[in-house]
Amino acid sequence: MNLESLALWLGQGFLHDQMVDKFWMFPMMETFHFIGLSFMFGALLVIDGRVLGIGKFISMKEAMKFIPVAIVAFAVNLISGYAFLSSDPATYLYNIGFQWKIGLIVIAGFNALWFWFGEHKQLTQLADGQEAPFTAKIIALGSIVLWVLVIILGRMIPYTDF
Amino acid sequence: MDLLLWYENGLVGTFIRESIWGYPIVLSSHAVGMATVLGIALMLCLRVLGFARGITVTAFDKLFTVGWVGFAINLVSGIILFAGSASLYFFQWTFQLKIGAILVGGILLKVVMNAVRANKSESTQKLLAAACMLCWLVGVITGRLMAYITA
């Protein structure tokens, strides 16, 4: 499937119609997207911050409870993000800022899987105040850097439409 | 009004309107700062509301430094963005409400922490945390709506 037919396929259906017909849909979805990103980034700051040693007296096991917060917030942003995309697929799909943003989200996803399968179990046994292993710190730093870039690229989309 | 126009037509205002990448870069910084300061504020409120009870609220203290960094980024980027059309923004009710909500939200964050340290009753703590969270959310919502409701 090429970008053109993908654009055609995305630009139809209920959500597309609502986004195009109702003037308040776009601002509402944007608001959800911003609230979602704040919750998600906040949850990541708690988890990754603890791993990196900022606030190392935060119980690591308890910090992991913020993982579901991040996942729910990500789901909100996946839905609202899909709404933007369906409103005008071609503009987004051919936009370099959008392409990089999606690419980085995929990388951040793999980074999260690495965290979950490689480090999660070990980390939950960390005592309060105890340093996390080096690999876990690299993953945590990667997570923060990647999501900051995702936010920047998302905000850049209107200006990277060449 | 004179002051607004002076600022809007000054160096910062001209830069943000005329430089090609100036506006997107400052705007992106504003989004990153927002995610940081709001993220920390929301997570602290969630904790005070009873989520992840195993974390002592005082252990959150260190994360406040991160929150302050986010706030500083947004204060600077916000002041620069404001120069773009100061004379318009200043009179928008969405802008006025946004600034008000952030001020109250910030003060409430301090009040929440004080209530926790002073061991105030749980319902007091929770009520304050809920009000604090609401303020910050109103701050984001009105900030986003500034682009749509220009009255």
Side-chain angles (χ1 to χ4, degrees):
Chain A
M1 199 195 255
N2 57 22
L3 278 186
E4 219 168 312
S5 49
L6 181 63
L8 278 174
W9 181 76
L10 287 167
Q12 55 184 4
F14 180 73
L15 202 51
H16 164 82
D17 295 345
Q18 296 302 311
M19 288 296 283
V20 175
D21 292 344
K22 309 264 194 316
F23 74 93
W24 46 265
M25 275 296 275
F26 210 95
M28 188 182 80
M29 285 299 177
E30 268 192 338
T31 306
F32 283 142
H33 209 67
F34 274 58
I35 292 173
L37 88 83
S38 302
F39 268 95
M40 186 180 169
F41 197 68
L44 293 178
L45 282 175
V46 175
I47 304 161
D48 293 331
R50 167 61 182 94
V51 173
L52 287 168
I54 310 162
K56 59 179 174 181
F57 286 93
I58 290 175
S59 150
M60 193 70 245
K61 205 173 158 210
E62 290 291 308
M64 295 298 189
K65 288 189 180 160
F66 284 90
I67 294 177
V69 176
I71 293 176
V72 171
F74 181 72
V76 169
N77 277 23
L78 202 60
I79 296 167
S80 47
Y82 179 79
F84 304 139
L85 180 62
S86 79
S87 76
D88 191 5
T91 338
Y92 287 99
L93 291 177
Y94 291 100
N95 185 304
I96 184 110
F98 176 78
Q99 292 169 350
W100 273 90
K101 174 176 176 172
I102 298 303
L104 289 177
I105 290 174
V106 172
I107 297 173
F110 281 112
N111 189 56
L113 289 175
W114 185 17
F115 180 84
W116 183 258
F117 290 106
E119 303 291 328
H120 172 259
K121 208 170 166 185
Q122 216 183 318
L123 283 173
T124 50
Q125 283 148 15
L126 232 54
D128 296 1
Q130 198 186 345
E131 290 250 345
F134 185 68
T135 323
K137 285 188 175 180
I138 294 291
I139 298 174
L141 186 66
S143 149
I144 296 292
V145 171
L146 283 165
W147 288 109
V148 165
L149 289 173
V150 167
I151 295 172
I152 293 175
L153 283 164
R155 211 64 192 87
M156 287 279 187
I157 289 174
Y159 309 96
T160 53
D161 192 16
F162 304 125
Chain B
M1 191 68 192
D2 283 348
L3 189 67
L4 292 173
L5 285 173
W6 169 80
Y7 182 52
E8 183 174 323
N9 295 322
L11 214 62
V12 184
T14 313
F15 161 77
I16 205 67
R17 280 189 305 273
E18 290 179 3
S19 138
I20 296 175
W21 287 103
Y23 188 74
I25 289 171
V26 180
L27 195 65
S28 303
S29 316
H30 206 63
V32 173
M34 176 203 79
T36 308
V37 66
L38 206 76
I40 299 291
L42 291 173
M43 295 312 117
L44 180 93
C45 291
L46 276 184
R47 167 60 192 86
V48 177
L49 285 168
F51 185 78
R53 281 170 184 281
I55 300 177
T56 52
V57 177
T58 39
F60 253 91
D61 264 16
K62 284 279 158 51
L63 290 177
F64 267 103
T65 318
V66 181
W68 274 113
V69 173
F71 184 78
I73 294 174
N74 272 25
L75 189 64
V76 174
S77 55
I79 288 172
I80 299 174
L81 290 171
F82 183 69
S85 23
S87 57
L88 175 72
Y89 291 140
F90 191 78
F91 299 102
Q92 278 182 265
W93 67 264
T94 39
F95 174 76
Q96 294 162 353
L97 192 55
K98 170 179 170 169
I99 299 301
I102 292 170
L103 276 175
V104 179
I107 294 167
L108 274 177
L109 211 50
K110 180 78 187 155
V111 175
V112 169
M113 286 310 279
N114 287 345
V116 170
R117 289 204 186 89
N119 259 317
K120 289 263 162 52
S121 74
E122 197 170 309
S123 54
T124 310
Q125 291 184 18
K126 284 187 176 174
L127 191 71
L128 287 168
C132 180
M133 202 173 203
L134 185 72
C135 281
W136 284 102
L137 290 177
V138 168
V140 188
I141 296 168
T142 48
R144 204 73 293 279
L145 293 184
M146 273 175 68
Y148 296 93
I149 306 170
T150 45

